[in-house]
Amino acid sequence: MISVIFSRFVKNKLTFVSSAYLYIYISLRHLGHTWRAVDSFLTSIGGTTIKTCHKWTNILVNKDFDEFTIDEKGGKRGDSFRDCYPDLELEAKQFVYRECSKTEATFTAKTLARFIDQRFYELNNLKKIDQQLVRSVESCRLDLRRFGVKFTANSSRPYFLGHEREDVVKHRQEFVKYFIEREQHFYTITNDAVPQWRIPTTVPTILLCHDESTYKCGEITAKRWIMPDNAPFYNKGRGRSIMCSDVLVMHTSGPFFSLTEKEYSEALKTYPN
């Protein structure tokens, strides 16, 4: 009987691993091993649970064999999300490409899930009434893998700070030029031993300035999503903010320390700029 059952497995092309566990269960029970012993053995080899084996054995022996083979395992059970919304999948892929090309390492699978959720409601002209996402973060993580994106170490790439970028240099030049051309509008101080105020010769412009500055500490994420053929420049990342209350300058007017004339002259020789 056992050989007949096994031949049915082969003829109907059932999953070999699943049928093997079932064949082991039937064989061991036929040879007189107890339920507990068979259960312990199947568990030790990582096989199908004994309850599942018993269920399908009962169907195979006592019921129609066709019912045993039609277990709806494998194959396509229905249309997937990307089958129903191919245009949205294309938008998601383009969105991932843009986000992974940025120097900042802030893109996550949840970012993609929120983007898909937002576009889904926009395309269908629906109003979101709950916080549930139309596509889970776990599914979006699989989508990223399918798009060819890898979650890998955020290192071993060219470092790029940005201060010499073309648009940054242009903006800096325009900023400096603006103040130089309007020098007569500002209140300034002479560089004398006893500084004096210079009064504007035209309509005065009052500058409102911060007395503190905030810098990024330069921390980076250990890993990030990277598209292999379009890896961005290495960036420090945003990190925590560090507030600078004052800046030490090499001048006798500094509020934190003072130098004598001799010390100041020696300091200028060592640090002329």
Side-chain angles (χ1 to χ4, degrees):
M1 177 181 176
I2 296 176
S3 60
V4 174
I5 293 174
F6 186 73
S7 65
R8 286 185 175 184
F9 292 160
V10 177
K11 288 180 181 179
N12 288 273
K13 299 179 180 179
L14 298 178
T15 305
F16 177 76
V17 176
S18 300
S19 60
Y21 292 138
L22 190 57
Y23 181 65
I24 291 173
Y25 167 76
I26 295 174
S27 300
L28 293 177
R29 292 293 289 159
H30 178 73
L31 294 174
H33 293 281
T34 63
W35 174 287
R36 189 183 299 275
V38 177
D39 182 41
S40 177
F41 176 73
L42 290 174
T43 302
S44 66
I45 64 175
T48 308
T49 62
I50 194 170
K51 290 183 178 180
T52 303
C53 289
H54 181 75
K55 167 190 171 183
W56 288 109
T57 301
N58 182 55
I59 294 175
L60 177 63
V61 176
N62 300 321
K63 297 184 180 180
D64 188 4
F65 184 72
D66 292 336
E67 182 180 351
F68 176 80
T69 58
I70 304 175
D71 60 350
E72 296 183 354
K73 291 183 178 180
K76 186 175 180 180
R77 301 188 181 184
D79 292 334
S80 64
F81 184 83
R82 59 177 179 270
D83 291 331
C84 299
Y85 300 96
D87 294 337
L88 182 54
E89 182 191 15
L90 181 60
E91 286 188 38
K93 187 178 295 186
Q94 293 172 345
F95 174 76
V96 170
Y97 186 87
R98 291 195 305 269
E99 292 298 316
C100 291
S101 300
K102 294 181 178 179
T103 53
E104 58 181 9
T106 56
F107 175 74
T108 62
K110 191 172 184 179
T111 307
L112 176 60
R114 289 176 175 173
F115 171 80
I116 293 176
D117 187 77
Q118 179 182 352
R119 291 295 298 140
F120 173 82
Y121 284 97
E122 290 176 354
L123 292 173
N124 292 279
N125 197 23
L126 299 174
K127 184 177 181 181
K128 189 175 179 64
I129 58 176
D130 54 30
Q131 298 300 320
Q132 186 175 0
L133 299 170
V134 296
R135 191 157 181 80
S136 66
V137 176
E138 292 75 14
S139 297
C140 289
R141 193 174 291 115
L142 294 177
D143 290 338
L144 289 170
R145 299 287 187 184
R146 190 164 50 84
F147 293 161
V149 187
K150 296 182 179 180
F151 190 68
T152 185
N154 186 22
S155 60
S156 302
R157 300 193 316 282
Y159 173 75
F160 185 69
L161 184 60
H163 66 282
E164 292 301 331
R165 212 171 57 212
E166 183 178 352
D167 58 329
V168 176
V169 174
K170 180 181 178 182
H171 182 271
R172 183 164 61 241
Q173 292 173 346
E174 292 176 352
F175 181 83
V176 174
K177 181 180 178 182
Y178 175 87
F179 282 94
I180 293 177
E181 292 178 348
R182 291 164 177 77
E183 183 178 1
Q184 301 301 324
H185 292 268
F186 304 133
Y187 286 89
T188 58
I189 299 178
T190 60
N191 192 23
D192 302 329
V194 182
Q196 301 292 327
W197 281 103
R198 290 177 180 172
I199 308 301
T201 57
T202 58
V203 179
T205 299
I206 307 300
L207 297 178
L208 300 179
C209 305
H210 289 284
D211 61 348
E212 297 174 347
S213 298
T214 302
Y215 302 93
K216 298 298 181 182
C217 66
E219 293 178 344
I220 62 171
T221 55
K223 291 187 175 182
R224 64 167 293 171
W225 290 100
I226 294 178
M227 194 163 288
D229 58 345
N230 192 44
F233 285 106
Y234 185 69
N235 187 274
K236 284 185 176 181
R238 300 186 63 183
R240 295 174 298 175
S241 297
I242 299 177
M243 187 181 70
C244 177
S245 299
D246 210 326
V247 179
L248 296 178
V249 294
M250 191 178 64
H251 196 272
T252 54
S253 63
F256 297 103
F257 65 91
S258 60
L259 300 176
T260 63
E261 290 296 332
K262 182 179 179 181
E263 291 173 335
Y264 184 67
S265 299
E266 292 177 353
L268 287 177
K269 294 178 182 178
T270 307
Y271 305 100
N273 297 323

